[in-house]
mmCIF file of all heavy atoms in Angstrom:
data_model
loop_
_atom_site.group_PDB
_atom_site.id
_atom_site.type_symbol
_atom_site.label_atom_id
_atom_site.label_comp_id
_atom_site.label_asym_id
_atom_site.label_seq_id
_atom_site.Cartn_x
_atom_site.Cartn_y
_atom_site.Cartn_z
ATOM 1 N N LYS A 307 8.074 6.415 -42.057
ATOM 2 C CA LYS A 307 8.246 6.149 -40.625
ATOM 3 C C LYS A 307 8.537 4.673 -40.386
ATOM 4 O O LYS A 307 9.446 4.323 -39.657
ATOM 5 C CB LYS A 307 6.957 6.530 -39.888
ATOM 6 C CG LYS A 307 7.124 7.713 -38.949
ATOM 7 C CD LYS A 307 5.813 7.991 -38.222
ATOM 8 C CE LYS A 307 5.538 9.475 -38.264
ATOM 9 N NZ LYS A 307 4.138 9.819 -38.460
ATOM 10 N N THR A 308 7.715 3.806 -40.998
ATOM 11 C CA THR A 308 7.910 2.364 -40.840
ATOM 12 C C THR A 308 7.875 1.696 -42.211
ATOM 13 O O THR A 308 7.339 2.250 -43.172
ATOM 14 C CB THR A 308 6.805 1.716 -39.974
ATOM 15 O OG1 THR A 308 5.582 1.735 -40.725
ATOM 16 C CG2 THR A 308 6.592 2.455 -38.664
ATOM 17 N N LYS A 309 8.464 0.517 -42.254
ATOM 18 C CA LYS A 309 8.430 -0.299 -43.463
ATOM 19 C C LYS A 309 6.982 -0.537 -43.903
ATOM 20 O O LYS A 309 6.650 -0.467 -45.079
ATOM 21 C CB LYS A 309 9.099 -1.647 -43.143
ATOM 22 C CG LYS A 309 9.314 -2.537 -44.327
ATOM 23 C CD LYS A 309 10.722 -2.398 -44.830
ATOM 24 C CE LYS A 309 10.980 -3.221 -46.059
ATOM 25 N NZ LYS A 309 12.100 -2.666 -46.836
ATOM 26 N N GLU A 310 6.116 -0.837 -42.939
ATOM 27 C CA GLU A 310 4.722 -1.144 -43.244
ATOM 28 C C GLU A 310 4.031 0.069 -43.865
ATOM 29 O O GLU A 310 3.236 -0.075 -44.797
ATOM 30 C CB GLU A 310 4.000 -1.622 -41.970
ATOM 31 C CG GLU A 310 2.714 -2.385 -42.197
ATOM 32 C CD GLU A 310 2.723 -3.378 -43.370
ATOM 33 O OE1 GLU A 310 3.749 -4.070 -43.556
ATOM 34 O OE2 GLU A 310 1.701 -3.437 -44.109
ATOM 35 N N ASP A 311 4.319 1.270 -43.362
ATOM 36 C CA ASP A 311 3.746 2.479 -43.964
ATOM 37 C C ASP A 311 4.200 2.611 -45.419
ATOM 38 O O ASP A 311 3.399 2.901 -46.307
ATOM 39 C CB ASP A 311 4.178 3.725 -43.173
ATOM 40 C CG ASP A 311 3.474 3.827 -41.817
ATOM 41 O OD1 ASP A 311 2.292 3.426 -41.738
ATOM 42 O OD2 ASP A 311 4.098 4.293 -40.849
ATOM 43 N N ALA A 312 5.495 2.399 -45.633
ATOM 44 C CA ALA A 312 6.043 2.513 -46.998
ATOM 45 C C ALA A 312 5.368 1.503 -47.924
ATOM 46 O O ALA A 312 4.982 1.829 -49.054
ATOM 47 C CB ALA A 312 7.550 2.298 -46.972
ATOM 48 N N ARG A 313 5.197 0.271 -47.432
ATOM 49 C CA ARG A 313 4.583 -0.778 -48.242
ATOM 50 C C ARG A 313 3.123 -0.448 -48.562
ATOM 51 O O ARG A 313 2.667 -0.615 -49.693
ATOM 52 C CB ARG A 313 4.655 -2.113 -47.507
ATOM 53 C CG ARG A 313 6.082 -2.645 -47.382
ATOM 54 C CD ARG A 313 6.172 -3.777 -46.359
ATOM 55 N NE ARG A 313 5.295 -4.866 -46.695
ATOM 56 C CZ ARG A 313 5.604 -5.854 -47.531
ATOM 57 N NH1 ARG A 313 6.797 -5.872 -48.087
ATOM 58 N NH2 ARG A 313 4.756 -6.802 -47.790
ATOM 59 N N LYS A 314 2.385 0.000 -47.540
ATOM 60 C CA LYS A 314 0.967 0.343 -47.747
ATOM 61 C C LYS A 314 0.811 1.412 -48.823
ATOM 62 O O LYS A 314 -0.050 1.324 -49.696
ATOM 63 C CB LYS A 314 0.350 0.861 -46.443
ATOM 64 C CG LYS A 314 -0.112 -0.221 -45.499
ATOM 65 C CD LYS A 314 -0.764 0.410 -44.273
ATOM 66 C CE LYS A 314 -1.120 -0.647 -43.241
ATOM 67 N NZ LYS A 314 -1.391 -0.049 -41.925
ATOM 68 N N ILE A 315 1.639 2.444 -48.738
ATOM 69 C CA ILE A 315 1.534 3.555 -49.691
ATOM 70 C C ILE A 315 1.897 3.088 -51.099
ATOM 71 O O ILE A 315 1.179 3.371 -52.061
ATOM 72 C CB ILE A 315 2.436 4.725 -49.245
ATOM 73 C CG1 ILE A 315 1.870 5.348 -47.961
ATOM 74 C CG2 ILE A 315 2.552 5.779 -50.345
ATOM 75 C CD1 ILE A 315 2.789 6.344 -47.283
ATOM 76 N N ALA A 316 3.002 2.354 -51.220
ATOM 77 C CA ALA A 316 3.445 1.906 -52.550
ATOM 78 C C ALA A 316 2.372 1.033 -53.205
ATOM 79 O O ALA A 316 2.043 1.203 -54.384
ATOM 80 C CB ALA A 316 4.764 1.144 -52.431
ATOM 81 N N ARG A 317 1.791 0.121 -52.431
ATOM 82 C CA ARG A 317 0.769 -0.765 -52.993
ATOM 83 C C ARG A 317 -0.521 -0.017 -53.299
ATOM 84 O O ARG A 317 -1.199 -0.308 -54.282
ATOM 85 C CB ARG A 317 0.479 -1.918 -52.041
ATOM 86 C CG ARG A 317 1.585 -2.961 -52.071
ATOM 87 C CD ARG A 317 1.208 -4.192 -51.311
ATOM 88 N NE ARG A 317 1.048 -3.880 -49.894
ATOM 89 C CZ ARG A 317 1.094 -4.788 -48.943
ATOM 90 N NH1 ARG A 317 1.277 -6.056 -49.245
ATOM 91 N NH2 ARG A 317 0.958 -4.447 -47.687
ATOM 92 N N SER A 318 -0.878 0.921 -52.432
ATOM 93 C CA SER A 318 -2.114 1.668 -52.643
ATOM 94 C C SER A 318 -2.050 2.450 -53.959
ATOM 95 O O SER A 318 -3.014 2.489 -54.725
ATOM 96 C CB SER A 318 -2.340 2.611 -51.457
ATOM 97 O OG SER A 318 -3.546 3.295 -51.586
ATOM 98 N N ILE A 319 -0.909 3.041 -54.234
ATOM 99 C CA ILE A 319 -0.744 3.809 -55.478
ATOM 100 C C ILE A 319 -0.805 2.870 -56.682
ATOM 101 O O ILE A 319 -1.502 3.145 -57.659
ATOM 102 C CB ILE A 319 0.576 4.596 -55.458
ATOM 103 C CG1 ILE A 319 0.505 5.685 -54.384
ATOM 104 C CG2 ILE A 319 0.885 5.208 -56.830
ATOM 105 C CD1 ILE A 319 1.829 6.331 -54.045
ATOM 106 N N CYS A 320 -0.104 1.747 -56.592
ATOM 107 C CA CYS A 320 -0.126 0.777 -57.706
ATOM 108 C C CYS A 320 -1.527 0.241 -57.952
ATOM 109 O O CYS A 320 -1.857 -0.154 -59.059
ATOM 110 C CB CYS A 320 0.791 -0.407 -57.402
ATOM 111 S SG CYS A 320 2.498 -0.047 -57.737
ATOM 112 N N GLY A 321 -2.348 0.201 -56.912
ATOM 113 C CA GLY A 321 -3.679 -0.382 -57.028
ATOM 114 C C GLY A 321 -4.765 0.612 -57.392
ATOM 115 O O GLY A 321 -5.891 0.218 -57.657
ATOM 116 N N SER A 322 -4.455 1.898 -57.403
ATOM 117 C CA SER A 322 -5.487 2.906 -57.659
ATOM 118 C C SER A 322 -5.915 2.915 -59.120
ATOM 119 O O SER A 322 -5.121 3.163 -60.026
ATOM 120 C CB SER A 322 -4.950 4.297 -57.278
ATOM 121 O OG SER A 322 -5.683 5.304 -57.965
ATOM 122 N N SER A 323 -7.191 2.648 -59.356
ATOM 123 C CA SER A 323 -7.710 2.666 -60.726
ATOM 124 C C SER A 323 -7.477 4.026 -61.375
ATOM 125 O O SER A 323 -7.232 4.118 -62.575
ATOM 126 C CB SER A 323 -9.211 2.366 -60.728
ATOM 127 O OG SER A 323 -9.450 1.050 -60.316
ATOM 128 N N LEU A 324 -7.572 5.077 -60.574
ATOM 129 C CA LEU A 324 -7.414 6.413 -61.148
ATOM 130 C C LEU A 324 -5.970 6.690 -61.542
ATOM 131 O O LEU A 324 -5.701 7.289 -62.581
ATOM 132 C CB LEU A 324 -7.916 7.474 -60.158
ATOM 133 C CG LEU A 324 -9.432 7.542 -60.027
ATOM 134 C CD1 LEU A 324 -9.833 8.459 -58.881
ATOM 135 C CD2 LEU A 324 -10.065 8.020 -61.319
ATOM 136 N N VAL A 325 -5.019 6.265 -60.708
ATOM 137 C CA VAL A 325 -3.600 6.422 -61.071
ATOM 138 C C VAL A 325 -3.304 5.593 -62.315
ATOM 139 O O VAL A 325 -2.650 6.051 -63.259
ATOM 140 C CB VAL A 325 -2.674 5.996 -59.903
ATOM 141 C CG1 VAL A 325 -1.214 5.938 -60.366
ATOM 142 C CG2 VAL A 325 -2.826 6.942 -58.714
ATOM 143 N N LYS A 326 -3.832 4.362 -62.335
ATOM 144 C CA LYS A 326 -3.583 3.450 -63.450
ATOM 145 C C LYS A 326 -4.166 4.002 -64.760
ATOM 146 O O LYS A 326 -3.537 3.903 -65.820
ATOM 147 C CB LYS A 326 -4.183 2.081 -63.152
ATOM 148 C CG LYS A 326 -3.433 1.326 -62.040
ATOM 149 C CD LYS A 326 -4.290 0.282 -61.338
ATOM 150 C CE LYS A 326 -4.722 -0.813 -62.248
ATOM 151 N NZ LYS A 326 -3.699 -1.764 -62.625
ATOM 152 N N ALA A 327 -5.356 4.575 -64.668
ATOM 153 C CA ALA A 327 -5.971 5.147 -65.872
ATOM 154 C C ALA A 327 -5.200 6.392 -66.328
ATOM 155 O O ALA A 327 -5.027 6.623 -67.527
ATOM 156 C CB ALA A 327 -7.437 5.478 -65.621
ATOM 157 N N ALA A 328 -4.719 7.174 -65.370
ATOM 158 C CA ALA A 328 -3.935 8.368 -65.718
ATOM 159 C C ALA A 328 -2.620 7.968 -66.384
ATOM 160 O O ALA A 328 -2.145 8.630 -67.308
ATOM 161 C CB ALA A 328 -3.671 9.217 -64.477
ATOM 162 N N LEU A 329 -2.039 6.877 -65.906
ATOM 163 C CA LEU A 329 -0.792 6.369 -66.503
ATOM 164 C C LEU A 329 -1.058 5.947 -67.953
ATOM 165 O O LEU A 329 -0.296 6.275 -68.861
ATOM 166 C CB LEU A 329 -0.284 5.178 -65.680
ATOM 167 C CG LEU A 329 1.069 4.597 -66.079
ATOM 168 C CD1 LEU A 329 2.176 5.615 -65.881
ATOM 169 C CD2 LEU A 329 1.382 3.339 -65.253
ATOM 170 N N PHE A 330 -2.169 5.249 -68.145
ATOM 171 C CA PHE A 330 -2.561 4.861 -69.500
ATOM 172 C C PHE A 330 -2.731 6.105 -70.381
ATOM 173 O O PHE A 330 -2.281 6.141 -71.515
ATOM 174 C CB PHE A 330 -3.869 4.065 -69.449
ATOM 175 C CG PHE A 330 -4.491 3.810 -70.797
ATOM 176 C CD1 PHE A 330 -3.878 2.969 -71.712
ATOM 177 C CD2 PHE A 330 -5.691 4.405 -71.143
ATOM 178 C CE1 PHE A 330 -4.448 2.725 -72.957
ATOM 179 C CE2 PHE A 330 -6.268 4.164 -72.388
ATOM 180 C CZ PHE A 330 -5.645 3.325 -73.294
ATOM 181 N N GLY A 331 -3.352 7.141 -69.819
ATOM 182 C CA GLY A 331 -3.602 8.368 -70.572
ATOM 183 C C GLY A 331 -2.391 9.290 -70.618
ATOM 184 O O GLY A 331 -2.457 10.370 -71.182
ATOM 185 N N GLU A 332 -1.278 8.882 -69.966
ATOM 186 C CA GLU A 332 -0.055 9.677 -69.914
ATOM 187 C C GLU A 332 -0.337 11.083 -69.404
ATOM 188 O O GLU A 332 0.087 12.094 -69.964
ATOM 189 C CB GLU A 332 0.632 9.680 -71.291
ATOM 190 C CG GLU A 332 1.038 8.251 -71.678
ATOM 191 C CD GLU A 332 1.533 8.084 -73.109
ATOM 192 O OE1 GLU A 332 1.456 9.056 -73.872
ATOM 193 O OE2 GLU A 332 1.982 6.971 -73.449
ATOM 194 N N ASP A 333 -1.095 11.116 -68.294
ATOM 195 C CA ASP A 333 -1.521 12.363 -67.687
ATOM 196 C C ASP A 333 -0.806 12.484 -66.332
ATOM 197 O O ASP A 333 -0.958 11.626 -65.471
ATOM 198 C CB ASP A 333 -3.052 12.296 -67.507
ATOM 199 C CG ASP A 333 -3.631 13.556 -66.891
ATOM 200 O OD1 ASP A 333 -2.897 14.553 -66.778
ATOM 201 O OD2 ASP A 333 -4.824 13.536 -66.530
#
Side-chain angles (χ1 to χ4, degrees):
Chain A
K307 247 182 226 141
T308 70
K309 188 98 183 156
E310 199 40 40
D311 288 325
R313 292 166 58 85
K314 277 183 185 164
I315 292 170
R317 284 189 295 200
S318 183
I319 293 167
C320 279
S322 158
S323 293
L324 286 171
V325 170
K326 290 156 64 73
L329 185 64
F330 170 68
E332 298 171 353
D333 181 10

